[in-house]
Amino acid sequence: MFDLAVIGSGPGGYVAAVRAAQLGAKVAVVEARDLGGTCLNRGCIPTKAMVKSAEAYKTIVNGEGYGVRVKEYQLDFPSVIQRKQEVVNRLVTGVEKLFSSNGITCYRGKASIPKPGMVEVSGPDAARLETRFTLIATGSGHALPPVPEAAIRRAITSDEALCLPKPPESMLVIGGGVLGVEFACIYAAFGTKIDIIKRSPLVLPPVDEELSKRIMPLLARQGIKVNAGIFIKDIQVSGDGAKRVIANTKEGKEVTFEAEEVLIAMGRVPDFGGLDLAALGIEHDSKGIKVDNRMRTSLAGVYAIGDVVGKYYLAPVASREGIIAVEDMFSTGSDMDYKVVPQCVFSSPEAASVGFTERAARDAGYSVKVSRFPFSANGKAVALGEAEGMVKVVADGETGLLLGMHILGPHATEIIHEAAIAIVLGGTAEAIATMIHAHPTLPEAIMEACHGIMGHPIHLAKVR
């Protein structure tokens, strides 16, 4: 008899399992595929390993700009893929050790829930588990365009994009969200000609609209062309083996795109893991399983977290939801709070957002004041040779309360957390502006943008 059976071992499932074990629960985890889920094996971690390889290659290619001339260099792409896999293996081994050290039993196989309080495992570790609580953390799958199944098979997803034998000469990326832009930047750095095709006019919907507009020319500078207002009808293979995408423009005109590879990167959709949710009476729809603020489903004793809930397709959100769920089971518990969720894009340059966008703040009824500070006026960014982009601060014009921050530029995904902490603590722009920041550092741009809320950024020339 287990206290908890977790279905899925991604960053939601394994974190929940560890926290439950820390609270004294006897825990089982059922995993149908790879320990660590999509994030560790086919998502966040391997893509960031490839981002680092792309950055290293770009640094060498552009070395003369830093006073370094490298006479002979080459891209060893099989080694890029090998390093990516070594990173993945190391972290998966880490999850295995977490399970072992916390006394968590892992079953390999496909899970089903024949009735409340029971989880059945079919596969290598076939078993019938009795459990007080069940946590569904089955994650998500690829969102696909509305084209025939045969057309889908002619393209690749991010899974295959992480394992290509070589960078293709050209690639069509279907989708301009986080996934599409990250892979576009990775392969553009390796020399692939990139076309992004998408329906909506802007890329990167998580970030503030202004930053989305600002990154478009920066992508173009890398050879990444964004084609908006494109509605895909079919994916074909031409006589010479090239992939051809047949599409319509928003005006109804038929257009075609050709490339060596077509990458479908339209985001994620909930994956219910084959569980018969309807038979169990668990309320859900195509957007995910319905849960309350403690991650409880409509069936007593059954909880759901992560991508399968469909609120945020983000690993850290899944982890936090997992902790909320098991603390509700085995401790006093608290409500899940989505107020502060940093959203990061490992594009080139990076983009990161937290809190309200300018438009959302105005829609919420705030008296909004906005300040911007460019990295071109930040000493560290100039020294790095990465002076593109800016920090944008959204604050309450009456109280100075920090409502949101949006960063496009070097290490945006790291420095956004200064804003996240400030918003969590109910901080003001003035508090950040008057805090002494180390020099020269990138967060000084945050400090200056907050000075701008008070009307006097220091390192920005007045416009006469």
Side-chain angles (χ1 to χ4, degrees):
M1 176 74 176
F2 288 96
D3 296 306
L4 172 64
V6 181
I7 303 174
S9 69
Y14 87 73
V15 168
V18 170
R19 182 65 185 128
Q22 290 173 344
L23 292 170
K26 184 180 179 183
V27 183
V29 174
V30 183
E31 176 52 63
R33 193 170 176 183
D34 304 306
L35 202 62
T38 296
C39 178
L40 262 66
N41 293 276
R42 301 172 300 281
C44 320
I45 297 302
T47 53
K48 302 318 165 280
M50 290 187 71
V51 165
K52 181 59 181 178
S53 293
E55 289 174 349
Y57 186 64
K58 282 175 67 176
T59 299
I60 293 171
V61 170
N62 300 316
E64 285 194 23
Y66 295 90
V68 178
R69 291 193 176 97
V70 181
K71 290 184 178 180
E72 294 184 13
Y73 62 88
Q74 64 179 19
L75 174 63
D76 183 356
F77 197 70
S79 292
V80 170
I81 301 300
Q82 180 182 340
R83 178 183 178 275
K84 177 266 302 181
Q85 195 57 47
E86 288 171 353
V87 170
V88 168
N89 293 344
R90 178 174 176 177
L91 292 175
V92 169
T93 298
V95 174
E96 292 172 345
K97 289 179 179 178
L98 284 173
F99 281 8
S100 176
S101 65
N102 284 282
I104 297 166
T105 306
C106 185
Y107 292 85
R108 297 304 184 103
K110 187 175 177 59
S112 61
I113 307 175
K115 63 179 183 178
M118 182 174 289
V119 172
E120 208 161 69
V121 184
S122 60
D125 297 330
R128 179 169 288 184
L129 314 177
E130 293 185 20
T131 179
R132 286 175 59 202
F133 296 103
T134 303
L135 178 62
I136 301 172
T138 46
S140 60
H142 299 287
L144 300 173
V147 298
E149 188 176 332
I152 298 294
R153 291 196 294 269
R154 298 180 187 115
I156 63 173
T157 66
S158 57
D159 293 3
E160 293 80 30
L162 290 165
C163 303
L164 293 176
K166 64 178 182 63
E169 291 293 324
S170 56
M171 179 183 284
L172 286 172
V173 179
I174 301 175
V178 174
L179 196 63
V181 170
E182 285 188 358
F183 272 104
C185 290
I186 288 169
Y187 276 99
F190 292 139
T192 300
K193 179 182 178 295
I194 301 288
D195 271 276
I196 293 176
I197 47 182
K198 60 189 308 294
R199 296 178 179 182
S200 54
L202 296 176
V203 295
L204 301 179
V207 304
D208 185 87
E209 186 175 309
E210 183 177 352
L211 268 65
S212 179
K213 291 177 180 177
R214 282 178 176 257
I215 199 173
M216 300 278 267
L218 302 182
L219 294 176
R221 204 175 299 171
Q222 299 169 60
I224 299 169
K225 184 179 180 183
V226 178
N227 304 274
I230 305 297
F231 298 80
I232 299 162
K233 297 195 300 181
D234 199 5
I235 303 170
Q236 302 175 352
V237 179
S238 61
D240 60 359
K243 310 290 175 62
R244 179 183 295 126
V245 170
I246 313 298
N248 282 338
T249 65
K250 62 181 179 181
E251 294 81 17
K253 179 183 176 183
E254 185 172 283
V255 290
T256 62
F257 300 86
E258 282 199 2
E260 184 180 338
E261 288 287 359
V262 175
L263 169 63
I264 297 173
M266 297 176 62
R268 311 287 295 182
V269 292
D271 179 355
F272 301 124
L275 299 174
D276 194 342
L277 301 176
L280 289 165
I282 295 176
E283 189 179 350
H284 68 287
D285 58 24
S286 60
K287 296 179 181 179
I289 295 175
K290 305 298 182 181
V291 294
D292 65 9
N293 54 13
R294 297 289 180 96
M295 312 313 296
R296 307 172 186 129
T297 71
S298 56
L299 181 60
V302 179
Y303 293 65
I305 61 168
D307 290 4
V308 76
V309 170
K311 291 185 178 179
Y312 285 89
Y313 292 87
L314 295 171
V317 172
S319 297
R320 183 61 190 155
E321 289 173 341
I323 291 171
I324 290 290
V326 298
E327 288 185 350
D328 186 64
M329 297 173 198
F330 306 114
S331 184
T332 54
S334 59
D335 291 346
M336 183 64 196
D337 183 2
Y338 298 100
K339 179 183 175 184
V340 180
V341 179
Q343 300 197 62
C344 298
V345 187
F346 293 81
S347 49
S348 180
E350 291 182 353
S353 291
V354 68
F356 282 106
T357 63
E358 180 181 353
R359 176 175 292 184
R362 295 189 191 282
D363 290 345
Y366 286 97
S367 171
V368 174
K369 189 170 185 180
V370 173
S371 174
R372 305 164 183 83
F373 190 83
F375 279 108
S376 58
N378 174 265
K380 180 65 177 289
V382 173
L384 291 173
E386 300 177 45
E388 296 168 326
M390 69 170 185
V391 175
K392 178 177 180 178
V393 172
V394 180
D396 187 310
E398 296 175 0
T399 65
L401 186 72
L402 188 64
L403 301 176
M405 188 175 293
H406 310 277
I407 305 174
L408 176 66
H411 303 288
T413 60
E414 305 292 340
I415 64 176
I416 192 66
H417 293 92
E418 179 171 349
I421 292 170
I423 294 173
V424 164
L425 298 177
T428 63
E430 182 178 4
I432 294 178
T434 55
M435 184 185 82
I436 296 174
H437 286 63
H439 174 77
T441 61
L442 296 171
E444 286 179 292
I446 293 176
M447 176 187 71
E448 292 278 9
C450 288
H451 270 298
I453 292 293
M454 298 184 293
H456 49 77
I458 304 300
H459 292 90
L460 203 58
K462 287 185 177 182
V463 178
R464 294 183 179 275

